């Protein structure tokens, strides 16, 4: 009796993961649906965000503000109408009001707010890329140092220290970056303190311990006998690393890099302080821009209607993309384990 | 020539290790120095409104504790299923992969999901929503550690139990779990340490509060979210408070981590 019951419960809990995943995906999709219907795939290549509404407005007094704004740009006579149209984008109950507005009078001078995802998408990709360019060589260096060069009484404590550093909350990295690292970078490279470059570098520092730890683990899987044979043939340490360890653990190392990449893509807090949070394509590496997680973190509170839906759309893109990326890395690992 | 190349490459490797470690050391030193200067005993007896951290520390623990209350049993039982009942089956493999992938899901997306299902339909941010988001973060981690700890228990132990006529349920609870107890404890501690430092899933689910509150139905004090808010403020005093809170948070995370490690270390001896 209990036996059966427990088996059912455990099966249920395991299935919960699947249900949860489907739930997250469906919820994001449904929440993003208005934006998906409105913009389609063109969202991905549209660099405009919240244009035609120069000042971001909280939803509560959206109507009043919208009215005030349209007054500056359009005829006062159709002011009320426009306010209704603005409501579509700014107000929670936008749909109803929009219908009303359309029914009363065809909205001729509709000032529509456009949301496009290109800037956050580019910002995410570029900041992650900078982080990887910075972190991969250093993480490789640390991993090689820990697994091959350092004597055991150094590599063990340093290894533990690295693993502990990987556990430090990412917001700490963000704060350090903002107050200590960004001024130095801005002085060295010019440009703004909050920029793509500083965000990418701090992101790189943040994923460094994680990447180094898991890369070291995959390097450590190389059987000693292979290394010893190579040394016996007169190979130098570098040749052993290059010709024995790297080829043997190549797949694992690539997997670790992709896992870290996935982590960097979805990272919010280390980047939020540093990327500048402006919807603007960076012309130089030292320009401020925005990434998907930061867009969500900064704008979610004040977004409503289509704006909120567009943020969910961005979240969905991030979710699907990182899901695909991590599955790919897992698949890589699995193939290796079975082979 | 080969020897020279060897020397150069090894030197580069050591150099990069030194560079990487010094960055990380720099962060730690900054944290400790800035945190200690802002630290005082009065921080622990006042709330954020009076420039203290008491409500934040309590709030963060309540959120993470509540998440653990849901996440740990659920994750453990699911992990038991994967290793004991469904082991080797295709379905178990599938769930195991999904859970591994969930472990790396962007935390802000989890926050957005919880916002859509638990904040928007109800009246705004709440402690429950925050704890729910953290529980979602936690479940895959607990599943993963339970699963791998159970896999370390030798098959012979299970067979011995079954040979004595014990039911599968008995074998799991009286033999397998006992054998893997320490490992599972460590896993739970590490996953707790992981979620207690999370900010992104809490940003718009629990938000934060300046006052001491135990009311889980409205905005709930969160240390991490408050650190984020404080650090964005222009006043020096707010930033100092943020550093002090960061130091407390990091110390907590590291202590929990070290405790977990210490437990497994004793086991191996």
């Amino acid at each position: 009796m209990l036996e059966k019951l427990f088996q059912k419960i455990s099966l249920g809990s395991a299935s919960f993961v699947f249900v949860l995943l489907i739930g997250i995906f469906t919820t994001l999709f449904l929440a993003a649906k208005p934006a998906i219907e409105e913009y389609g795939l063109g969202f991905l290549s549209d660099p405009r965000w919240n244009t035609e509404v120069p000042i971001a407005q909280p939803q509560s007094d959206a109507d009043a503000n919208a009215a005030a704004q349209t007054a500056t740009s359009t005829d006062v006579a159709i002011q009320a109408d426009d306010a209704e149209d603005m409501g579509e984008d700014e107000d929670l109950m936008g749909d109803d009001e929009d219908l009303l507005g359309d029914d009363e009078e065809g909205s001729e001078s509709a000032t529509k707010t456009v949301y496009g995802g290109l800037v956050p998408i580019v910002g995410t990709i570029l900041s992650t890329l900078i982080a990887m360019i910075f972190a991969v060589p250093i993480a490789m260096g640390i991993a090689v140092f820990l697994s091959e060069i350092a004597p055991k009484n150094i590599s063990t404590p340093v290894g533990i220290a690295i693993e502990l550093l990987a556990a430090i909350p990412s917001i700490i990295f963000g704060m350090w970056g903002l107050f200590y690292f960004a001024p130095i970078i801005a002085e060295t490279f010019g440009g703004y303190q909050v920029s793509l470059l500083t965000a990418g570098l701090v992101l790189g520092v943040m994923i460094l311990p994680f990447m180094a730890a898991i890369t070291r683990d995959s390097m450590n899987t190389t059987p000693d006998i292979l290394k010893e044979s190579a040394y016996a043939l007169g190979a130098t340490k570098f040749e052993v690393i290059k010709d024995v360890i790297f080829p043997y653990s190549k797949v694992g190392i690539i997997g670790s890099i992709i896992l870290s990449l996935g982590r960097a893509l979805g990272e919010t807090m280390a980047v939020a302080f540093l990327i500048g949070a402006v919807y603007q394509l960076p012309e130089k590496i030292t320009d401020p821009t925005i990434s998907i997680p930061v867009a969500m973190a900064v704008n979610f509170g004040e977004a409503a209607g289509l704006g909120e839906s567009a943020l969910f759309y961005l979240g969905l893109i991030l979710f699907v993309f990182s899901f695909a990326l991590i599955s790919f890395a897992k698949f890589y690992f699995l193939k290796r384990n079975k082979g | 020539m080969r020897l020279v190349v060897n020397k150069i490459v090894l030197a580069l490797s050591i150099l990069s290790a030194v560079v990487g470690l010094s960055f990380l050391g720099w962060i730690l030193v900054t944290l400790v120095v800035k945190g200690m200067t802002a630290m005082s005993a009065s921080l622990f007896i006042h709330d954020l409104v009076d420039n203290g951290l008491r409500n934040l520390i309590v709030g963060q623990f309540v959120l993470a504790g509540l998440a653990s209350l849901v996440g740990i049993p659920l994750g453990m039982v699911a992990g038991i299923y994967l290793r004991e009942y469904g082991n080797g089956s295709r379905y178990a493999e599938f769930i195991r992969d999904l859970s591994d992938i969930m472990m790396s899901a962007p935390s802000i997306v989890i926050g957005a999901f919880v916002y859509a299902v638990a904040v928007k339909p109800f009246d705004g941010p709440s402690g429950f929503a925050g704890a729910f988001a953290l529980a979602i973060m936690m479940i895959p981690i607990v599943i993963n550690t339970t699963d791998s700890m159970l896999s370390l228990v030798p098959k012979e132990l299970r067979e011995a139990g079954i040979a004595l006529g014990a039911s599968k349920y008995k074998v799991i609870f009286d033999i397998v779990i006992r054998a893997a107890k320490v490992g599972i404890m460590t896993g739970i501690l590490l996953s707790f340490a992981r979620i207690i430092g999370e900010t992104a899933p809490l940003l718009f689910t629990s938000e934060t509060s300046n006052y001491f509150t135990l009311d889980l139905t409205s905005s709930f004090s969160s240390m991490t979210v408050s650190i984020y808010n404080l650090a964005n403020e222009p006043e020096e005093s707010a930033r100092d408070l943020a550093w002090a809170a960061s130091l407390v948070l990091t110390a907590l995370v590291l202590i929990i981590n070290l405790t977990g490690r210490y437990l497994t270390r004793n086991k191996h001896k």
Side-chain angles (χ1 to χ4, degrees):
Chain A
M1 180 56 208
L2 266 178
E3 166 76 53
K4 277 261 151 52
L5 185 70
F6 183 69
Q7 188 170 357
K8 286 262 158 59
I9 292 175
S10 73
L11 175 65
S13 315
S15 309
F16 182 70
V17 176
F18 185 50
V19 174
L20 199 61
L21 201 70
I22 300 284
I24 293 176
F25 185 80
T26 324
T27 310
L28 289 178
F29 183 75
L30 287 179
K33 214 168 170 222
I36 294 175
E37 277 167 357
E38 178 81 16
Y39 306 121
L41 283 176
F43 184 77
L44 302 178
S45 57
D46 192 343
R48 294 168 300 172
W49 181 273
N50 207 4
T51 33
E52 285 173 73
V53 180
I55 311 147
Q57 297 156 356
Q59 68 195 54
S60 52
D61 49 359
D63 275 13
N65 281 341
Q69 259 174 15
T70 36
T72 62
S73 58
T74 22
D75 203 345
V76 187
I78 51 165
Q79 183 183 325
D81 240 329
D82 277 337
E84 299 291 338
D85 284 326
M86 299 295 294
E88 174 189 351
D89 304 316
E90 296 291 336
D91 203 301
L92 259 178
M93 301 176 297
D95 286 283
D96 301 332
E97 293 196 28
D98 180 44
L99 279 177
L100 271 176
D102 277 341
D103 286 345
E104 280 169 13
E105 216 176 316
S107 51
E108 61 263 83
S109 65
T111 36
K112 233 179 72 177
T113 318
V114 180
Y115 296 94
L118 183 66
V119 177
I121 292 171
V122 169
T124 307
I125 294 172
L126 288 182
S127 60
T128 308
L129 196 70
I130 294 171
M132 295 315 273
I133 292 171
F134 173 77
V136 170
I138 295 184
M140 292 301 129
I142 296 179
V144 167
F145 175 77
L146 287 179
S147 73
E148 297 308 317
I149 299 174
K152 195 138 182 99
N153 57 359
I154 293 182
S155 72
T156 314
V158 172
I160 291 175
I162 295 240
E163 284 170 28
L164 286 178
L165 285 166
I168 290 184
S170 55
I171 190 164
I172 314 281
F173 286 89
M175 266 175 74
W176 164 79
L178 177 63
F179 295 125
Y180 292 90
F181 191 57
I184 295 174
I185 293 295
E187 217 158 89
T188 321
F189 296 92
Y192 299 93
Q193 284 198 6
V194 285
S195 70
L196 195 56
L197 181 67
T198 45
L201 289 179
V202 171
L203 195 56
V205 174
M206 195 213 88
I207 55 171
L208 198 54
F210 178 71
M211 201 194 286
I214 55 179
T215 308
R216 177 206 56 188
D217 290 344
S218 25
M219 282 185 185
N220 278 343
T221 59
T222 315
D224 283 341
I225 195 146
L226 283 183
K227 291 188 257 178
E228 281 155 13
S229 331
Y231 283 126
L233 289 171
T236 61
K237 210 158 216 168
F238 168 59
E239 285 161 346
V240 171
I241 294 166
K242 175 172 69 98
D243 296 328
V244 179
I245 296 174
F246 269 132
Y248 186 86
S249 52
K250 189 174 63 195
V251 182
I253 293 175
I254 294 172
S256 325
I257 292 176
I258 298 179
L259 274 186
S260 321
L261 179 69
R263 201 168 250 220
L265 270 183
E267 177 52 43
T268 316
M269 301 326 290
V271 187
F273 288 122
L274 291 153
I275 202 161
V278 288
Y279 290 91
Q280 170 193 314
L281 282 176
E283 281 163 23
K284 299 189 302 289
I285 199 171
T286 49
D287 282 345
T289 180
I290 199 162
S291 72
I292 295 178
V294 177
M296 295 177 76
V298 173
N299 293 56
F300 222 92
E302 63 204 28
L306 259 187
E308 191 184 89
S309 185
L311 286 175
F312 274 113
Y313 196 176
L314 283 176
L316 184 67
I317 293 168
L318 181 67
F319 187 60
V320 169
F321 189 66
S322 62
F323 191 96
L325 195 72
I326 297 158
S327 329
F328 174 68
K330 286 281 168 213
F331 185 61
Y332 229 78
F333 275 131
L334 280 180
K335 263 207 321 208
R336 159 122 203 138
N337 289 344
K338 279 171 189 159
Chain B
M1 186 59 204
R2 286 171 56 224
L3 294 177
V4 176
V5 170
N6 181 45
K7 279 254 161 62
I8 293 172
V9 172
L10 292 191
L12 278 179
S13 161
I14 294 173
L15 182 75
S16 65
V18 169
V19 168
L21 290 173
S22 49
F23 265 116
L24 298 167
W26 181 12
I27 294 172
L28 277 188
V29 169
T30 312
L31 177 67
V32 171
V33 169
K34 288 296 288 183
M36 283 316 283
T37 40
M39 191 68 66
S40 71
S42 72
L43 287 183
F44 296 98
I45 48 171
H46 291 106
D47 295 334
L48 189 55
V49 267
D50 308 315
N51 290 320
L53 301 173
R54 185 183 64 158
N55 67 323
L56 301 180
I57 297 171
V58 173
Q60 195 78 10
F61 263 106
V62 170
L63 286 175
L66 213 61
S68 312
L69 229 53
V70 180
I72 290 174
L74 207 75
M76 265 184 73
V77 175
I80 290 173
Y81 174 80
L82 293 186
R83 187 55 60 184
E84 301 298 326
Y85 288 108
N87 196 16
S89 76
R90 270 203 144 152
Y91 185 65
E93 276 305 312
F94 171 68
I95 294 290
R96 190 171 287 150
D97 288 344
L98 277 190
S99 152
D100 278 358
I101 294 169
M102 280 270 286
M103 218 156 70
S104 319
S107 52
I108 188 102
V109 174
I110 308 274
F113 162 69
V114 173
Y115 178 82
V117 297
V119 175
K120 226 176 145 189
F122 302 98
D123 40 347
S126 67
F128 282 119
F132 180 40
L134 290 184
I136 296 178
M137 299 286 304
M138 194 177 196
I139 289 169
I141 311 176
V142 179
I143 291 182
N144 181 287
T145 47
T146 310
D147 184 32
S148 51
M149 286 309 152
L150 292 181
S151 76
L152 296 179
V153 177
K155 212 173 164 194
E156 289 74 16
L157 275 182
R158 297 190 181 95
E159 284 165 357
I162 293 170
L164 287 173
S167 64
K168 184 132 193 175
Y169 164 82
K170 270 252 177 263
V171 171
I172 292 171
F173 275 85
D174 289 349
I175 300 175
V176 181
I177 299 268
R178 276 199 191 174
K181 198 171 58 188
V182 179
I184 293 177
M185 263 307 286
T186 303
I188 287 171
L189 282 176
L190 293 187
S191 54
F192 186 80
R194 181 113 164 242
I195 59 160
I196 205 169
E198 279 292 345
T199 316
L202 297 176
L203 274 179
F204 29 78
T205 53
S206 73
E207 293 191 343
T208 188
S209 161
N210 291 347
Y211 301 92
F212 189 91
T213 170
L214 289 174
D215 175 17
L216 286 161
T217 55
S218 59
S219 301
F220 204 76
S221 320
S222 153
M223 178 128 86
T224 45
V225 177
S226 281
I227 293 176
Y228 177 65
N229 292 342
L230 287 170
N232 272 327
E233 273 179 36
E235 293 106 34
E236 198 65 37
S237 63
R239 292 179 184 179
D240 285 343
L241 207 55
W243 280 112
S246 304
L247 182 60
V248 172
L249 184 68
T250 311
L252 275 174
V253 169
L254 292 188
I255 289 169
I256 299 170
N257 253 293
L258 284 170
T259 316
R261 275 158 200 281
Y262 179 74
L263 283 177
T264 31
R265 224 166 106 154
N266 269 2
K267 168 91 176 171
H268 286 306
K269 270 176 191 169

